[in-house]
């Protein structure tokens, strides 16, 4: 019934198994990829005919984690998986980026790749397994895919590279880098690092590329056994050549348009050039012409850079656009910054909260709390367009996560700065690398809020134009250069090293030397940007904003936590409601009291200290009568602690009835006379001057001594 084919290899100290022919047999390609005890089912389906009129490649990648993979039931009311999590969205992008450039040019049939996590051993992250499985499924499918690709995760522990580190090992690693590519070269890099040098980062990329070559060989072995017949390659329409020849007469118009240095005016002139070219063609040739325009634009832009070294905005290949950094724009915000680089601008705002504001994340590996959030928004007005406004898409989530990775290694430890930090980047203008503008703006915004970053962080986007043996590495690329170039290479870090590296390459002939040049050029650009940022702010402000909550940390004995919380949370709720403070209690007895008003915080702290304090012999306390009985009065004198004033201790003279001296609600002063083995406290009022609080016993002893 089943024609099962499989290959196995030992990779990074664990067995990798790729199997096909048993599950999802109706898909064009289906591979079950298992690494350790993590299993991902990867399927590929391609539509046989392209939709009429389509002018792009409709590739969709969906990575999904099923909670049963880790033996869990989903939370929430419906008890089933819902919209994609941030992790699922990021891994979907991670798979998409290296496979998209490898489809045949001109192929426009819809393709869907689905990767489903079926088992997770909590040691091996499914993302790399899914990338390998997706590549294998595509290679078997017969689709015009020029793979295979493979991927690997690289760690850096004790000065050594580690291939596919386990989750536990990754926690001690100074690097978390995922690299993907073919046998010929690297296509994609995504990483977070702890201020590592450019040489170490490049070494990690090359280490990963060499390490996944056996996986590529294994996929080829599987394809030799089970690959389906190849689909016919897309053939260019015979009508393209004559239309292209007619459009050649308008090449000068495009060159003139791209000499305009202002983005908006340049786009207007390009649009006019296109309109003029289209007007010269018969109706039946106009759709074909639209597909030729991109290659004409690429020839103009790329040729000018390679021939003259001058870019469309007049810069040379190394110059960074003018930068203006400002902080403290929004008076009620805890921290704010406006970072402008050329025609790219980010308004970044920082808000400080308490432990109650932490994000609770329910992941396959278990639930955890995140006290640093960075959210990126890209409204359509930032590029002068009117468009749909809605929830963040994959691009927004991916750019925000890149900035998050870049800044996170420089955050203070939670113990030293016990705030929840939320940074929001609103892209108000965009013409190239708004994600790197977000990194710069986030650094300034947090320092403006008083977040003691170890060092400021900046980012820069690099590009590449390569034709044969000629190439040019571009610093601080424009949107058009990104669109028409061969590489998008983003590097973020401090003056001491790299904290994040993201690379997407559209060609497979990038050499190690080109990457080395790009990293060195990026380092120079990053230092320039940091110097420009210092004109606005050099270090974090002393103390947090007056609009932010002040957090005071105190410790109490663990056995006292129950008393502070009270039955059903009654006591802690009362403290918060009366004082207006927010209170977080940890299992070790650490209590964080947060309030904008310092007096409110102090009231809450005094209240808590009163609850946990132990009565001391001979000490006088202010108290409140809470109950009267025939033999005396019970007085609340220390937090929730009550003690008994016997009728004989109410007054110096004989008392016939307790209520002749005190009633419930009276404020009194009492002295601790004794504490028995059961913790019951004996109090006295008669030895304390009720008006002044003076100790009458001590006064009597002093007089006797004289």
């Amino acid at each position: 019934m089943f024609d099962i084919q499989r290959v196995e290899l030992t990779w990074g100290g664990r067995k990798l198994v790729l199997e096909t022919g048993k599950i999802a047999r109706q898909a064009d390609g289906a591979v079950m990829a298992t690494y350790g005890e993590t299993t991902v089912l990867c399927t590929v389906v391609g539509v046989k005919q392209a939709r009429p009129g389509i002018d792009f490649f409709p590739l969709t990648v969906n990575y999904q984690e099923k909670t049963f993979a880790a033996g869990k039931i989903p939370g929430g009311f419906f008890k089933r998986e819902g919209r994609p999590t941030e992790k699922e969205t990021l891994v979907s992008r991670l798979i998409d980026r290296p496979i998209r450039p490898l489809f045949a040019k001109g192929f426009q049939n819809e393709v869907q790749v689905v990767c489903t996590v079926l088992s997770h051993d909590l040691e091996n992250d499914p993302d790399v397994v899914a990338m390998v499985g997706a590549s294998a499924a595509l290679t078997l499918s017969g689709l015009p895919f020029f793979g295979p690709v493979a991927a690997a995760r690289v760690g850096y522990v004790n000065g050594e590279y580690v291939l596919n580190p386990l989750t536990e090992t990754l926690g001690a690693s100074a690097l978390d880098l995922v690299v993907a590519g073919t046998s010929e070269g690297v296509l994609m890099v995504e990483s977070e690092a702890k201020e590592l040098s450019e040489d170490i980062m490049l070494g990690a990329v090359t280490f990963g590329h060499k390490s996944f070559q056996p996986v590529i060989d294994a996929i080829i072995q599987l394809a030799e056994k089970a690959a389906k017949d190849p689909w016919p390659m897309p053939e260019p329409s015979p009508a393209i050549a004559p239309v292209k020849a007619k459009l050649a007469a308008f090449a000068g118009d495009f060159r003139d348009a791209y000499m305009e240095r202002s983005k908006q005016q340049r786009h207007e002139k390009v649009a006019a050039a296109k309109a003029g070219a289209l007007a010269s063609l018969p109706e039946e040739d106009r759709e074909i012409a639209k597909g030729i325009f991109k290659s004409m634009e690429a020839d103009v832009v790329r040729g000018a850079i390679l021939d003259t070294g001058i870019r469309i905005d007049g810069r040379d290949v190394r110059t960074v656009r003018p930068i203006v950094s400002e902080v403290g724009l929004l008076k009620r915000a805890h921290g704010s910054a406006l970072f402008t680089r050329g025609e790219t601008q980010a308004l970044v705002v920082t808000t400080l909260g308490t432990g109650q504001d932490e994000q609770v994340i329910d992941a396959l590996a278990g639930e955890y709390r995140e006290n640093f959030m960075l959210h990126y928004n890209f409204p359509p007005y930032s590029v002068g367009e009117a468009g749909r406004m809605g929830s963040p898409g994959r691009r927004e989530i991916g750019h925000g996560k890149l900035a998050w990775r870049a800044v996170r290694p420089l955050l203070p430890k939670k113990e030293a700065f016990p705030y929840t930090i939320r940074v929001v980047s609103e892209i108000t203008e965009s013409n190239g690398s708004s994600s790197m503008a977000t990194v710069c703006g986030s650094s300034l915004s947090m320092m403006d809020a008083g977040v003691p970053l170890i060092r400021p962080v900046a980012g820069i986007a690099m590009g590449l134009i390569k034709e044969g043996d000629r190439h040019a590495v571009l610093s601080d690329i424009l949107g058009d250069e990104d669109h028409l170039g061969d590489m998008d290479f983003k590097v973020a870090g401090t003056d001491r090293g790299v904290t994040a590296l993201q690379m997407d390459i559209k060609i497979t002939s990038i050499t190690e030397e080109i990457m080395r040049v790009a990293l060195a050029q990026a380092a120079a650009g990053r230092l320039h940007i940091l110097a420009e940022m210092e004109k606005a702010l050099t270090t974090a402000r002393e103390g947090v904003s007056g609009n932010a909550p002040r957090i005071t940390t105190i410790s109490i004995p663990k056995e006292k936590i129950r008393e502070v919380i009270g039955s059903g949370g009654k006591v802690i709720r009362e403290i918060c409601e009366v004082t207006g403070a927010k209170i977080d209690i940890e299992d070790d007895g650490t209590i964080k009291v947060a309030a904008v008003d310092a007096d409110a915080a102090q009231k809450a702290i005094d209240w808590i200290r009163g609850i946990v304090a132990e009565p001391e012999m001979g000490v006088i306390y202010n108290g409140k009568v809470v109950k009267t009985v025939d033999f005396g009065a019970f007085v609340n004198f220390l937090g929730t602690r009550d003690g008994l004033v016997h009728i004989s201790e109410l007054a110096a003279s004989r008392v016939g009835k307790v209520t002749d001296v005190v009633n419930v609600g009276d404020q009194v002063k009492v002295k601790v006379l004794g504490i028995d083995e059961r913790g019951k406290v004996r109090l006295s009022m008669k030895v304390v001057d009720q008006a002044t609080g003076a100790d009458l016993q001590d006064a009597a002893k002093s007089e006797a001594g004289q």
Side-chain angles (χ1 to χ4, degrees):
M1 184 175 182
F2 300 117
D3 180 18
I4 300 173
Q5 301 292 340
R6 58 186 282 153
V7 293
E8 297 182 8
L9 72 153
T10 300
W11 186 44
R14 278 143 281 161
K15 183 187 289 186
L16 173 66
V17 180
L18 302 176
E19 180 182 287
T20 189
K22 184 174 182 179
I23 296 178
R25 291 172 296 162
Q26 295 184 47
D28 290 317
V31 170
M32 189 84 80
T34 301
Y35 192 49
E37 294 183 359
T38 293
T39 299
V40 184
L41 172 64
C42 302
T43 63
V44 173
V45 173
V47 177
K48 301 303 180 184
Q49 296 292 330
R51 292 201 304 268
I54 197 167
D55 61 353
F56 65 96
F57 173 39
L59 170 67
T60 305
V61 177
N62 294 101
Y63 167 88
Q64 51 187 8
E65 295 182 337
K66 299 298 182 180
T67 57
F68 61 68
K72 297 172 62 178
I73 294 175
F77 182 79
F78 293 104
K79 295 298 177 186
R80 68 176 298 161
E81 292 84 359
R83 60 179 295 178
T85 64
E86 181 182 80
K87 168 75 180 290
E88 289 172 321
T89 299
L90 293 170
V91 177
S92 296
R93 283 171 51 86
L94 206 63
I95 298 168
D96 183 300
R97 285 158 51 194
I99 66 174
R100 185 177 290 272
L102 295 180
F103 280 88
K105 199 169 185 179
F107 182 69
Q108 295 176 340
N109 298 36
E110 184 175 357
V111 175
Q112 184 177 47
V113 178
V114 179
C115 300
T116 307
V117 180
L118 302 180
S119 176
H120 186 15
D121 59 13
L122 309 184
E123 291 185 332
N124 297 285
D125 197 309
D127 56 1
V128 168
V129 185
M131 295 174 77
V132 170
S135 170
L138 283 164
T139 305
L140 299 183
S141 69
L143 291 167
F145 171 72
F146 299 135
V149 298
R153 172 170 271 105
V154 180
Y156 190 69
V157 181
N158 298 325
E160 299 288 338
Y161 296 119
V162 181
L163 175 62
N164 296 332
L166 298 174
T167 301
E168 183 179 1
T169 306
L170 201 58
S173 175
L175 174 68
D176 180 5
L177 180 143
V178 176
V179 56
T182 65
S183 58
E184 296 178 1
V186 173
L187 288 171
M188 187 277 299
V189 176
E190 186 75 48
S191 66
E192 178 181 345
K194 296 180 180 177
E195 295 186 284
L196 297 179
S197 70
E198 281 75 11
D199 285 343
I200 291 174
M201 297 298 292
L202 180 57
V205 173
T206 55
F207 172 83
H209 181 249
K210 291 176 183 175
S211 298
F212 63 58
Q213 295 307 312
V215 178
I216 290 178
D217 294 338
I219 295 173
I220 293 172
Q221 291 174 28
L222 185 64
E224 289 171 347
K225 300 176 184 178
K228 295 184 178 179
D229 293 336
W231 289 31
M233 293 290 290
E235 294 183 4
S237 168
I240 291 178
V243 175
K244 195 170 186 179
K246 294 176 185 176
L247 291 177
F250 296 89
D253 294 344
F254 281 93
R255 278 193 294 272
D256 292 343
Y258 273 104
M259 291 180 68
E260 175 58 55
R261 296 183 178 182
S262 167
K263 174 190 171 182
Q264 289 188 330
Q265 293 178 15
R266 181 169 61 250
H267 284 189
E268 289 173 2
K269 289 186 176 182
V270 170
K274 290 179 179 179
L278 289 174
S280 71
L281 298 174
E283 189 71 33
E284 62 271 17
D285 289 344
R286 291 179 182 178
E287 283 300 319
I288 298 172
K290 291 178 182 178
I292 300 172
F293 284 149
K294 182 178 178 181
S295 64
M296 293 182 66
E297 294 176 73
D299 290 343
V300 169
V301 174
R302 295 164 64 91
I305 292 172
L306 290 174
D307 292 340
T308 68
I310 302 301
R311 297 150 70 177
I312 54 179
D313 63 351
R315 288 181 292 151
D316 62 25
V317 295
R318 293 177 176 271
T319 301
V320 176
R321 287 171 288 175
I323 292 172
V324 177
S325 301
E326 303 171 64
V327 295
L329 285 82
L330 308 178
K331 301 307 176 186
R332 294 295 297 176
H334 300 164
S336 60
L338 183 68
F339 180 83
T340 307
R341 186 191 60 239
E343 295 168 305
T344 296
Q345 186 180 74
L347 175 63
V348 189
V349 184
T350 296
T351 306
L352 303 178
T354 68
Q356 297 175 24
D357 299 307
E358 290 181 341
Q359 183 179 16
V360 180
I361 299 175
D362 187 15
L364 276 188
E367 185 178 285
Y368 65 95
R369 303 177 74 90
E370 180 58 63
N371 73 323
F372 175 50
M373 295 159 278
L374 196 155
H375 298 144
Y376 166 103
N377 297 313
F378 192 87
Y381 66 75
S382 65
V383 288
E385 296 178 357
R388 186 184 67 85
M389 298 284 287
S391 56
R394 289 187 173 189
R395 182 180 186 276
E396 283 82 1
I397 292 171
H399 279 31
K401 194 65 175 182
L402 173 59
W404 181 89
R405 290 191 180 107
V407 174
R408 190 174 72 134
L410 281 306
L411 291 176
K413 292 189 179 299
K414 189 176 177 181
E415 296 76 21
F417 192 75
Y419 286 88
T420 296
I421 305 168
R422 182 186 183 228
V423 178
V424 178
S425 174
E426 296 287 339
I427 303 305
T428 50
E429 295 180 26
S430 181
N431 184 16
S433 193
S434 55
S435 63
M436 295 296 95
T438 294
V439 171
C440 301
S442 297
S443 178
L444 289 168
S445 174
M446 283 193 284
M447 291 193 297
D448 185 52
V451 179
L453 291 182
I454 298 172
R455 275 173 290 280
V457 189
I460 186 169
M462 311 296 294
L464 175 71
I465 304 295
K466 189 174 187 300
E467 296 286 351
D469 294 332
R470 297 197 303 165
H471 71 270
V473 176
L474 314 179
S475 295
D476 181 24
I477 57 174
L478 302 172
D480 288 334
E481 292 170 339
D482 183 11
H483 181 60
L484 301 172
D486 298 319
M487 177 179 72
D488 182 12
F489 190 99
K490 297 183 176 77
V491 189
T494 68
D495 58 358
R496 298 195 183 182
V498 175
T499 57
L501 170 63
Q502 184 185 85
M503 182 165 60
D504 290 295
I505 299 174
K506 304 169 190 176
I507 57 177
T508 57
S509 55
I510 299 293
T511 65
E512 183 176 334
E513 183 56 33
I514 290 176
M515 286 192 285
R516 188 180 302 279
V517 169
L519 280 167
Q521 202 165 309
R526 187 172 76 245
L527 293 176
H528 168 75
I529 295 170
L530 285 167
E532 293 296 309
M533 290 166 57
E534 286 181 358
K535 295 177 181 178
L537 199 60
T538 55
T539 58
R541 299 193 189 280
E542 289 292 333
V544 299
S545 162
N547 297 322
R550 296 294 199 281
I551 297 180
T552 305
T553 302
I554 62 174
S555 294
I556 65 170
K558 288 193 287 187
E559 60 271 15
K560 294 288 186 178
I561 293 175
R562 181 180 298 177
E563 296 179 31
V564 175
I565 295 174
S567 177
K570 179 182 177 182
V571 175
I572 195 74
R573 280 199 306 272
E574 183 183 5
I575 299 173
C576 293
E577 289 170 3
V578 172
T579 66
K582 288 185 178 181
I583 300 172
D584 295 323
I585 303 179
E586 298 177 8
D587 293 340
D588 64 354
T590 300
I591 296 182
K592 296 172 184 173
V593 179
V596 176
D597 183 354
D599 290 339
Q602 192 58 51
K603 287 178 183 177
I605 291 169
D606 292 344
W607 195 329
I608 293 168
R609 284 178 172 158
I611 293 172
V612 302
E614 291 291 339
E616 298 181 39
M617 288 288 295
V619 175
I620 295 172
Y621 297 92
N622 292 316
K624 179 181 178 181
V625 178
V626 293
K627 185 179 181 181
T628 60
V629 291
D630 291 343
F631 53 84
F634 286 95
V635 176
N636 173 239
F637 69 99
L638 186 62
T640 58
R641 200 70 177 264
D642 296 344
L644 174 66
V645 180
H646 191 267
I647 191 170
S648 62
E649 295 292 335
L650 287 172
S653 58
R654 185 179 181 281
V655 177
K657 189 178 179 183
V658 172
T659 52
D660 290 341
V661 181
V662 293
N663 289 287
V664 173
D666 288 352
Q667 299 291 328
V668 297
K669 294 178 174 60
V670 294
K671 181 178 180 178
V672 177
L673 298 181
I675 306 170
D676 67 17
E677 64 277 1
R678 293 178 296 175
K680 292 186 176 181
V681 183
R682 291 188 298 110
L683 304 172
S684 174
M685 287 175 54
K686 72 179 184 182
V687 299
V688 182
D689 187 320
Q690 293 299 307
T692 66
D695 189 330
L696 299 177
Q697 277 186 330
D698 286 348
K701 288 177 183 177
S702 296
E703 290 178 6
Q706 292 175 354

